[in-house]
Amino acid sequence: MGDSPSKQCTPKLDQPQRILRPILNQPNFDEAYGLCDPGPPLTPWQEITRIGRKHLSRKVSNNKCGQKCAYSYATSWFPVLEWAPKYDFRKLVIPDLVAGITVGVMNIPQGIAYALLAGLPPVCGLYTSFIPTLFYFVMGTSRQCSLGTFAVVSMMTSKIVMTYAPFEGDVGLERNVTTNSSRETLMYGSFTETEYRRIQVGAMAALMTGLWQLLFGILGFGALTVYLSDQLVQGFTCSAAFHVFSSQLSNVFGVKGLPEYHGMFKICRTYYRFFQVTHTAHIPTMLISLTTVTLLICIKYGLNGNRTVKSLLRVPIPAELIVVIIGSFASYWCNFEETYQVDIVKKVPVGMPPVTVPDLSIASSILGDTFALAIVTFAITVTLGMVFAAKHNYSVSPNQEFRALGVGNIIGSFFQCFPSGASLARSAVQDDTGGRTQMVSLIQCMIVLVVILTAGPLLEPLPKPVLGSIVMVALFHLLAQVVEIHRLWKLSFVDWTIFLVVFLAVLILDVDVGVGIGVVYAIMTVMFRLQKPKVRNLGRIPGTDLYKPVDVYRKASSIPNVKIIRVDSPIYFANAAYIKARLYNLAGLNKAIDFLRKATDDTEDPSHEPYAFTNTLAVEDDEAATDAVEQFPNPTITQNVSRISRQSVTVAPAVLLDGLKEAGELELGRRHPVDLDDVKDSDLPAHGFHLIVDCSEVSFMDVTGVSFIKKTAVECRTIGVELLLANAKKSVRDILTTCGADGYIHPRQMFVTVHDAVSYALNDQAAYQRTPSEFLNSVSLAVIRETPTTTAIARDIK
C-alpha cells in the first residue's frame, strides 16, 4: 500500500526552498505588480471628500432598491421583523416558554427589591421589568440578556433620587391621612407627595439615560465598548456589589439611625455608622433575614447547584419566588407589622400607571450622573450579550443595543420606570434554562404584566427583610469576583492593576467616579505601553532571509556595517522622542551625533526644517550605548564636518535630484549579489554604513513621527550613514510623501522587505570602493543607488 494522498502532499518542514529574485525597492515593486492606488497621497480634505463621496454614492445606490431598502432599514432598527417570521415554533417554543416563565417569576421579587434599593415604591420595579423589556424584545439583538431591574443600576439611580428627592420622614403621609377611613388615603393616587416626587426624579433619570443611549446609538458610538475591558467590567461590578450589599444593612438588620450616605467615601461612612448603631438591631427582623438567607442558600446552591438535582429537574427551583410566597403568607398570618414592628412593602397598586411627565426641571443637573448610567448599563448589557453570542455563535450589534436600551428607557420614563439594564443573574438563568431567542423577553413581560394587573395586593404584606436578603444573596456571585485579583496576578500585571484600580476607586470613592477613573486608567495603560515601545536590534538567521531580535535568538547574527532596528509600535507624538533615543543608542550613533553637534555652528538658519519639539527632547536610556559607527572619528572626515553639516541639513529635494543626475545613476542589479553568509568585516570598506529601520510593526505615523524620520535621515546623512526603510505600509509611505519627506529619504530608499534593504546595503558597500574624500563629497548629495528597472523585475520573475 502506498502513502495516502494527504501524506504525499505534506511538505517537509526542513526542506530548503530556493527563491531567485532581484532586489525590490518600493517604487519598482509598486509599478511592477500594479499598486491599486498609484496616485499621489491625498490631503486630509481630499480624504474627507473621497470618503464622503463614497458613502453618498453608496446611500444613493441603496436607495434605488425601493422596498428592499425600506425593509433593510426597518430591520436594522427592529430586528424582530427579521427573526420572528423565521421562528421555528416546533424546536424553540418549549425551551423559550420554560425560560420565559422562570425568568419572569424571578423578575417579580427582584423588581420589587431593586425598586426599594433605588429609593422608589416597589411597584416601580414591576413597571421597569415590563416596559423596557417589551421594547428590548422588539429592538434588542442579544438572545439571552434579561432586561429589567439590576442592582448596580438601581444603586446608581438611588444617588440621583436621594439627591433631588430626599427623605422627609412621614410628613407627607401624616398630612394626607383622612379621619373618615381606617385606611390611608394618599395624594397622587396611591403615593405620598414624597413618593411621587421620587417617582418623577427616577423617571427623569430614565429619560436622560435613554436620550444619551439613543444619541450614542444614532451616532454609532458602539465602539466605546473597546475601552471597557473585561477586567474593568469585573472590577466595577465586584466593587459595586459591595455598595449594593451595604445598602441593605438597614433592611436586613433593622438598625435605627443608619442614614443613606452619598458621595465620596460613602461606604466607609456607612460601616463606621453601622457599627455605632449595631445595638439598635431589631431581633425579629434579623431572624426573618437569617431564615430567608438560609432558605435561599439551600435552594440555590444546595439544590440548584447539585448535579443530580439538575439532571432530574429541567428548570431551576425559583428560590426567590418561594421565599416571597412564604414571607408574604407568614407576614399576613402573623401580622408582622403590628405584632413585631417589622417593615413591610405596604402599597402595591393594581393596574398600569397613567402616563406622567418626568420632572424636567432637573434635566441639566443630572447630565453627568445619567451619562455614567448610560455607559454602565450599556457596558454590562453588551458585555453579557457578547459572552452569550460567542457561546451560541451569533452576533450582537453594539449600536443597536444602544438604540434598544435608549428607546426602552425613554418610553418607560413616561410610565414611572427608572433606568433599566441587563441582569447578570437572570441572564445566566435564562441561558441555563434553554432560552434561545428574544421570545423569552416577551414571555417574561406577560408574567410581570399579570402580576401588575392582578396580584399586586398579595405582595403588600411582604417583609422588607425578605427583599433585602434576596438582594444580598443575589450578589454572592458578583462578590466572588474578588478572587480575580489573585488569578490576574499570575497572568498579567497590567490587567491586574486595571482590576485593582477600578475596584478600589469604586469601593472607596463612588460608583460614577470610580468608573471614570477606571476608564482613564485603562486607556493610560495602553498609552504608557505605546509611549515606551520595544525598539529591537535585529540580526539575520544564518542561511535564511529571516531577521529576528538578537537579544531573543542566540543564532541571530549582526551584519557588519549594517544596523537593523525594528520599532514595535506606531510612531507618533507621544513616543517619537523615546524611539529616537533608543534608535540612536542601538545603532551606536550617539558619539557621532554629539561630535557633529559640537562641530556645527548654532547660528539660527531661517531655512532650517522646523522639526517637532519632541525630536529635541533628551530622553534617558538605561541601556549602555554601543559604538557601531566606527568610521566617524576618522580624521579626514572630522575635518570636514562643519563644512558639510550645514549643507546636508538644508539641502532641498530639487538639489538632491540634480545631484543624482550629475553623479550618475548606478545600477546594482546588474552586478552579482553579495552572499550574506560569506560576508566578513574585512571584506567591506571601513567608510560605509547603513541603518535600516524595519517598519513592519509601525501601523501609523503622525506629523511628529515624520519629523523624526526627517531629522534622523539628515543627521545620519551628515555623518556618512544612509538611512533605509523596510516593510513600510502604504499609509506610512503616504504620510511621508504628504509631509515632504521625499527630500530626506527617497522612495527608492524604501524596500519591500528587510532582506532587500540588507542586500542593497551590502552590494553598495562591496561594489563601490571610495576614498574618504570621495565619500565626503557624496554624503551631502545623499546619492541614491537605483535597483533594476520594473521591466527587468517582471522579466526575471517570469
Side-chain angles (χ1 to χ4, degrees):
M1 294 293 290
D3 293 338
S4 63
S6 61
K7 292 183 178 180
Q8 293 177 358
C9 297
T10 303
K12 295 181 179 180
L13 295 179
D14 58 350
Q15 183 177 354
Q17 300 290 327
R18 187 172 182 84
I19 300 175
L20 297 177
R21 64 170 179 81
I23 299 173
L24 296 174
N25 64 18
Q26 197 64 54
N28 289 338
F29 181 83
D30 294 342
E31 184 178 351
Y33 297 103
L35 182 64
C36 295
D37 189 9
L42 301 178
T43 63
W45 175 248
Q46 291 173 334
E47 184 68 19
I48 293 173
T49 305
R50 182 189 68 83
I51 295 175
R53 284 199 303 264
K54 180 179 178 181
H55 282 282
L56 181 61
S57 61
R58 183 181 302 170
K59 291 289 184 182
V60 171
S61 61
N62 290 339
N63 288 336
K64 295 180 181 179
C65 62
Q67 294 181 352
K68 182 179 179 181
C69 177
Y71 175 78
S72 176
Y73 182 78
T75 55
S76 66
W77 274 82
F78 305 101
V80 68
L81 298 176
E82 183 177 5
W83 64 262
K86 304 174 184 178
Y87 186 78
D88 191 345
F89 279 88
R90 182 174 299 178
K91 293 182 179 179
L92 300 176
V93 69
I94 297 300
D96 283 351
L97 183 63
V98 172
I101 294 174
T102 305
V103 177
V105 168
M106 286 184 63
N107 242 329
I108 297 166
Q110 287 192 356
I112 296 174
Y114 294 151
L116 293 176
L117 176 61
L120 298 170
V123 71
C124 293
L126 298 179
Y127 300 154
T128 306
S129 299
F130 172 64
I131 294 176
T133 307
L134 185 62
F135 280 91
Y136 190 79
F137 157 74
V138 176
M139 301 182 64
T141 58
S142 175
R143 303 173 188 175
Q144 278 76 34
C145 282
S146 175
L147 210 70
T149 58
F150 181 49
V152 175
V153 178
S154 297
M155 186 190 61
M156 295 179 69
T157 304
S158 173
K159 175 185 176 182
I160 302 174
V161 172
M162 296 299 180
T163 302
Y164 297 97
F167 279 114
E168 298 177 4
D170 294 328
V171 176
L173 178 62
E174 295 173 357
R175 184 174 59 245
N176 296 287
V177 174
T178 64
T179 57
N180 298 326
S181 174
S182 59
R183 186 174 178 83
E184 295 173 351
T185 303
L186 309 175
M187 295 177 60
Y188 310 104
S190 300
F191 305 113
T192 67
E193 183 178 355
T194 301
E195 289 174 337
Y196 187 75
R197 169 68 178 165
R198 288 173 173 237
I199 291 173
Q200 283 190 312
V201 173
M204 191 61 206
L207 177 61
M208 295 301 299
T209 301
L211 289 175
W212 277 119
Q213 292 171 333
L214 184 60
L215 177 64
F216 291 155
I218 293 174
L219 296 179
F221 283 4
L224 288 172
T225 52
V226 300
Y227 297 107
L228 302 169
S229 65
D230 293 343
Q231 292 73 36
L232 190 148
V233 173
Q234 287 177 342
F236 161 72
T237 54
C238 179
S239 188
F242 281 95
H243 282 276
V244 178
F245 188 91
S246 303
S247 68
Q248 298 302 306
L249 293 175
S250 180
N251 287 333
V252 171
F253 290 91
V255 294
K256 305 299 181 183
L258 181 61
E260 185 77 20
Y261 291 105
H262 295 283
M264 308 282 274
F265 309 105
K266 70 175 186 180
I267 197 168
C268 301
R269 290 186 289 169
T270 297
Y271 278 99
Y272 176 76
R273 181 59 180 168
F274 172 73
F275 288 114
Q276 285 183 332
V277 298
T278 51
H279 63 278
T280 65
H282 192 225
I283 301 301
T285 299
M286 293 177 60
L287 291 176
I288 294 173
S289 301
L290 180 61
T291 304
T292 303
V293 169
T294 303
L295 283 174
L296 289 171
I297 292 176
C298 290
I299 296 175
K300 296 183 70 172
Y301 298 98
L303 297 179
N304 291 342
N306 188 285
R307 294 184 178 181
T308 304
V309 176
K310 289 176 65 175
S311 63
L312 297 175
L313 299 176
R314 187 169 183 177
V315 297
I317 300 172
E320 291 89 350
L321 182 63
I322 291 175
V323 297
V324 165
I325 293 174
I326 295 175
S328 299
F329 180 77
S331 177
Y332 177 78
W333 186 265
C334 299
N335 198 0
F336 281 174
E337 183 184 18
E338 296 182 3
T339 306
Y340 301 104
Q341 291 76 48
V342 176
D343 291 336
I344 62 173
V345 172
K346 290 186 180 178
K347 302 176 299 296
V348 181
V350 176
M352 289 298 297
V355 177
T356 55
V357 179
D359 184 6
L360 301 177
S361 64
I362 64 171
S364 59
S365 303
I366 62 175
L367 281 175
D369 293 324
T370 53
F371 177 84
L373 264 171
I375 298 300
V376 169
T377 55
F378 168 76
I380 295 174
T381 302
V382 172
T383 302
L384 281 174
M386 290 190 297
V387 169
F388 293 123
K391 180 179 178 180
H392 298 286
N393 195 25
Y394 67 91
S395 60
V396 172
S397 171
N399 290 324
Q400 181 58 24
E401 290 295 299
F402 254 139
R403 295 195 288 262
L405 291 171
V407 171
N409 281 321
I410 291 172
I411 302 299
S413 66
F414 295 96
F415 292 91
Q416 302 180 3
C417 297
F418 56 91
S420 61
S423 168
L424 300 176
R426 292 197 308 272
S427 299
V429 170
Q430 180 169 325
D431 181 60
D432 291 340
T433 53
R436 292 296 176 265
T437 69
Q438 290 93 326
M439 191 65 71
V440 177
S441 298
L442 179 62
I443 297 171
Q444 73 180 63
C445 283
M446 295 172 63
I447 300 296
V448 176
L449 180 61
V450 169
V451 175
I452 292 174
L453 297 179
T454 63
L458 298 177
L459 298 174
E460 291 182 354
L462 180 62
K464 288 186 179 180
V466 174
L467 297 176
S469 301
I470 290 174
V471 172
M472 282 190 169
V473 175
L475 296 171
F476 283 177
H477 70 287
L478 295 179
L479 298 174
Q481 289 183 138
V482 73
V483 299
E484 284 292 305
I485 296 178
H486 177 69
R487 188 182 72 89
L488 290 173
W489 175 256
K490 298 180 178 180
L491 301 178
S492 170
F493 176 76
V494 174
D495 291 333
W496 176 79
T497 60
I498 292 175
F499 183 97
L500 189 62
V501 166
V502 69
F503 176 81
L504 294 178
V506 173
L507 186 67
I508 297 174
L509 301 179
D510 203 356
V511 175
D512 49 357
V513 177
V515 171
I517 292 175
V519 172
V520 170
Y521 179 78
I523 296 175
M524 288 176 61
T525 59
V526 178
M527 294 178 62
F528 286 152
R529 282 183 280 187
L530 291 177
Q531 186 177 355
K532 290 191 174 183
K534 292 290 185 181
V535 182
R536 297 182 178 277
N537 190 358
L538 303 185
R540 179 171 175 264
I541 303 299
T544 71
D545 59 351
L546 303 177
Y547 295 84
K548 299 297 179 181
V550 295
D551 58 340
V552 177
Y553 292 90
R554 289 191 298 270
K555 292 188 177 181
S557 57
S558 300
I559 299 172
N561 285 351
V562 177
K563 274 290 181 180
I564 309 168
I565 308 298
R566 188 182 72 195
V567 180
D568 291 347
S569 81
I571 302 177
Y572 67 112
F573 65 93
N575 62 12
Y578 175 79
I579 292 175
K580 182 172 181 288
R582 292 286 296 128
L583 179 71
Y584 281 29
N585 187 357
L586 292 175
L589 304 179
N590 289 325
K591 288 185 177 180
I593 296 298
D594 290 342
F595 188 90
L596 170 67
R597 288 170 179 166
K598 293 177 182 178
T600 304
D601 185 12
D602 292 335
T603 306
E604 183 178 357
D605 187 349
S607 63
H608 190 278
E609 168 70 18
Y611 299 111
F613 75 93
T614 52
N615 290 321
T616 62
L617 293 176
V619 180
E620 296 294 334
D621 192 353
D622 296 334
E623 297 185 17
T626 57
D627 296 326
V629 183
E630 299 291 350
Q631 77 277 10
F632 184 75
N634 186 291
T636 308
I637 296 179
T638 56
Q639 294 171 3
N640 295 276
V641 166
S642 61
R643 178 177 63 83
I644 69 171
S645 60
R646 177 66 61 186
Q647 176 185 2
S648 63
V649 170
T650 59
V651 68
V655 176
L656 290 177
L657 296 179
D658 293 340
L660 286 175
K661 294 178 181 178
E662 295 175 2
E665 296 179 351
L666 305 176
E667 299 180 358
L668 290 180
R670 297 179 181 178
R671 299 179 178 272
H672 297 290
V674 176
D675 189 349
L676 271 66
D677 292 322
D678 296 334
V679 173
K680 299 178 181 178
D681 292 346
S682 58
D683 297 334
L684 298 177
H687 48 270
F689 191 86
H690 290 79
L691 173 61
I692 301 172
V693 178
D694 181 6
C695 300
S696 58
E697 301 297 326
V698 180
S699 57
F700 70 87
M701 187 181 295
D702 68 354
V703 176
T704 304
V706 175
S707 297
F708 151 72
I709 295 294
K710 288 180 181 180
K711 188 168 186 180
T712 301
V714 167
E715 292 182 342
C716 287
R717 183 171 65 241
T718 304
I719 62 174
V721 176
E722 184 176 5
L723 177 66
L724 307 176
L725 301 184
N727 285 321
K729 296 177 173 58
K730 188 176 185 303
S731 60
V732 174
R733 303 197 304 271
D734 286 348
I735 190 65
L736 289 172
T737 303
T738 303
C739 294
D742 292 350
Y744 301 84
I745 180 163
H746 195 273
R748 287 185 174 82
Q749 289 174 288
M750 301 181 190
F751 292 86
V752 179
T753 66
V754 173
H755 193 65
D756 288 302
V758 172
S759 300
Y760 162 82
L762 293 181
N763 273 280
D764 186 26
Q765 295 174 14
Y768 300 98
Q769 300 287 341
R770 291 172 289 177
T771 65
S773 61
E774 293 173 339
F775 175 72
L776 280 173
N777 291 331
S778 65
V779 164
S780 61
L781 295 176
V783 176
I784 309 298
R785 312 301 184 189
E786 185 167 347
T787 54
T789 62
T790 54
T791 305
I793 293 176
R795 182 178 65 250
D796 291 343
I797 292 178
K798 290 181 180 179

